[in-house]
Amino acid sequence: MFIRRIVLNHFRNYSQIDVNFGLNRIYITGNNGIGKTNILEAIYYLTLGRSFRKADDKALIQHGYDEASIYLEYFSEKDNKDHHLSCVINSSYKVFAVDDEKVKSLSQILGKLIAVYYEPSLVFFFKDEPEQRRKLLDEACSQLSPQYLFAIGRRRI
């Protein structure tokens, strides 16, 4: 799977950004506070429908605006085709689409784009309580299997 392009509108600190990626490895570099992590957060948002930062959706919308949007194009090796995922985020709703078709349920985006977020602060991950490890594994496995997501959702009831 290769991400080809991402477009953000009023997402975090971006009024509008349109980035095309090549097929080689992608490195996002720059000074602190310019929005590198915001791009990663937008990509991750399209995998599970939520931020890895634990932020509520309102925090994702640029100050002074009512909604934000994310549009992402990617190439899937499963079917050798280009696809796109998109989302409009409002403080009271979010709407996802796969290949320009609105989805009725968030579970319909799972597995389309797979991402695991790991940061340096997680270096203590293996020393701490198993709950954090379990959560990371649950999130990763949920992207691969809607049945797994359903099972862990029922487990927490």
Side-chain angles (χ1 to χ4, degrees):
M1 183 172 308
F2 301 97
I3 295 175
R4 294 191 185 275
R5 178 180 177 215
I6 188 166
V7 179
L8 305 178
N9 287 298
H10 307 300
F11 185 86
R12 292 275 189 187
N13 66 327
Y14 289 108
S15 291
Q16 199 279 330
I17 186 172
D18 187 338
V19 180
N20 288 293
F21 299 107
L23 293 179
N24 297 320
R25 291 180 191 220
I26 300 167
Y27 298 94
I28 301 174
T29 63
N31 293 329
N32 289 341
I34 63 167
K36 300 178 300 291
T37 304
N38 294 345
I39 292 172
L40 298 176
E41 183 178 25
I43 293 167
Y44 188 88
Y45 196 87
L46 291 174
T47 66
L48 288 176
R50 60 185 168 82
S51 169
F52 57 73
R53 291 179 169 167
K54 316 285 187 273
D56 67 6
D57 288 346
K58 188 175 183 178
L60 303 175
I61 302 168
Q62 188 178 33
H63 182 71
Y65 292 89
D66 294 328
E67 62 184 32
S69 66
I70 307 167
Y71 173 83
L72 185 136
E73 295 176 5
Y74 69 97
F75 175 78
S76 173
E77 293 168 316
K78 286 182 184 178
D79 60 5
N80 287 320
K81 292 183 181 177
D82 286 322
H83 296 279
H84 23 105
L85 296 170
S86 61
C87 180
V88 173
I89 307 163
N90 186 290
S91 59
S92 57
Y93 64 85
K94 52 187 161 189
V95 178
F96 289 89
V98 177
D99 293 332
D100 295 327
E101 302 239 354
K102 287 183 184 177
V103 296
K104 295 179 181 176
S105 158
L106 187 59
S107 65
Q108 292 177 280
I109 69 163
L110 296 176
K112 302 294 183 194
L113 185 68
I114 298 170
V116 176
Y117 179 77
Y118 185 84
E119 64 180 62
S121 69
L122 293 174
V123 74
F124 300 106
F125 179 74
F126 298 100
K127 291 182 178 181
D128 291 341
E129 297 298 318
E131 180 182 343
Q132 293 294 16
R133 288 189 294 279
R134 197 172 305 117
K135 182 177 180 237
L136 180 71
L137 291 172
D138 282 347
E139 286 179 358
C141 292
S142 294
Q143 294 179 61
L144 298 172
S145 169
Q147 294 85 4
Y148 186 86
L149 177 64
F150 179 75
I152 63 170
R154 294 192 42 90
R155 178 180 78 203
R156 292 182 178 144
I157 294 177

